Each structure stands twice: as C-alpha cells, then as structure tokens.
Amino acid sequence: MSAASEPAVPAEGDLELAADQAIAACGGDPQEAVKALLVAIDFLEAEANELRAAVSKGYSRGRQAGRRDRNESD
C-alpha cells in the first residue's frame, strides 16, 4: 500500500484548534458541536455509500471493504 493511500494524522494542536472552532461555531456549546459533527458524519457516510454504488464493479474489484465478507459464505 502506498503512503498516498494512508490517512493523514493531524497534529495534536490541529485537533485542539479544530475542536475549538467547532465549539465556537455552535455558540460555545460543546454538546451542540458534537451533535453537528455527528450529523456531518452521517451525511458523509451516506455520500460515500452513494459514490460506492456508482463506481463500476470491475473498476473497484477488491478495493471496497465488505465485499470479501459476502463471498466467504460461497
């Protein structure tokens, strides 16, 4: 696997800054910030699922998680 396909790990300071920005965007309420982030994650997961469905099976063969699990019962 190439380094380009590895997810980038943000620096600790970057995470702190991002958390502060998310809380500030929600009026300083951490609970509202968590709710907003959960909604954003749900949206991104739905979008990723739509994109996976749109990619041709021949192109993505062996690249999509979960495909092996379905074939194990064969």
Side-chain angles (χ1 to χ4, degrees):
M1 194 181 309
S2 70
S5 62
E6 299 281 329
V9 178
E12 184 68 29
D14 292 342
L15 289 175
E16 293 292 327
L17 178 61
D20 290 342
Q21 289 173 342
I23 293 169
C26 293
D29 186 349
Q31 188 172 14
E32 289 301 315
V34 170
K35 289 179 189 177
L37 292 171
L38 290 172
V39 169
I41 288 170
D42 190 46
F43 170 78
L44 292 172
E45 285 178 344
E47 190 172 289
N49 288 334
E50 288 177 20
L51 291 171
R52 271 190 217 101
V55 172
S56 99
K57 290 180 182 175
Y59 178 77
S60 65
R61 183 173 296 141
R63 291 186 177 92
Q64 293 185 14
R67 293 218 181 260
R68 242 183 271 155
D69 297 338
R70 284 188 254 154
N71 292 332
E72 285 179 2
S73 63
D74 291 339

